[in-house]
Amino acid sequence: MSTLPAWLAEVRFDEQGLIPAIAQDQASGKILMVAWMNQESLLETARTRCAVYWSRSRQRLWRKGEESGHVQHVSDIRLDCDGDVILLSVEQVGHIACHTGRESCFFRQLQGRDEQAQWAITDPVLKDPEHIYR
């Protein structure tokens, strides 16, 4: 059994053993997505420099791009001041991070005020999801 690296002790996982992870495009600075990591996925990401997350819906490791080919090459891993959020600086292969076929998962913008406000789709679909997932 291998021992865990010392840096991992500074990471504050929640009661489910998870920590939110933000993926940010290393070139543009655009936030691409937010996902969850557990200890195993964070360790694998640090080792391979390819983003690995924990899929809460599938209850298993999710290697970004395992189905779509849209992997994330990780150039930098940061931990926030409270130790409870991870920030990954990534090169997004294929320029599509979202399962909807868009560059970013943050493609809806609240427009207007109060009760009149509505979510507006601001980013185009770059590739039909039917053609992405095998």
Side-chain angles (χ1 to χ4, degrees), residues 79-93:
L79 182 64
D80 82 322
C81 58
D82 294 323
D84 60 1
V85 178
I86 296 290
L87 175 63
L88 303 176
S89 181
V90 303
E91 174 194 353
Q92 179 63 61
V93 173

Side-chain angles (χ1 to χ4, degrees), residues 55-121:
S55 172
R56 294 178 301 166
S57 60
R58 297 179 218 147
Q59 290 293 297
R60 67 171 179 82
L61 289 181
W62 161 41
R63 290 164 182 86
K64 180 68 174 157
E66 65 189 12
E67 292 180 23
S68 67
H70 299 142
V71 299
Q72 292 175 338
H73 297 289
V74 178
S75 60
D76 192 31
I77 302 172
R78 293 183 181 245
L79 182 64
D80 82 322
C81 58
D82 294 323
D84 60 1
V85 178
I86 296 290
L87 175 63
L88 303 176
S89 181
V90 303
E91 174 194 353
Q92 179 63 61
V93 173
H95 304 288
I96 296 173
C98 185
H99 75 281
T100 65
R102 291 177 173 85
E103 176 186 19
S104 169
C105 293
F106 296 94
F107 59 88
R108 293 181 282 192
Q109 180 184 50
L110 188 62
Q111 296 179 348
R113 295 179 182 261
D114 302 323
E115 296 81 29
Q116 305 304 315
Q118 295 181 29
W119 292 109
I121 294 176

Side-chain angles (χ1 to χ4, degrees), residues 116-132:
Q116 305 304 315
Q118 295 181 29
W119 292 109
I121 294 176
T122 58
D123 299 356
V125 172
L126 301 177
K127 190 169 185 180
D128 183 337
E130 293 291 325
H131 299 128
I132 294 174

Side-chain angles (χ1 to χ4, degrees), residues 13-32:
F13 295 95
D14 69 12
E15 54 279 350
Q16 285 87 39
L18 302 174
I19 187 169
I22 301 165
Q24 182 178 35
D25 186 274
Q26 68 183 14
S28 70
K30 187 172 189 173
I31 301 299
L32 301 176

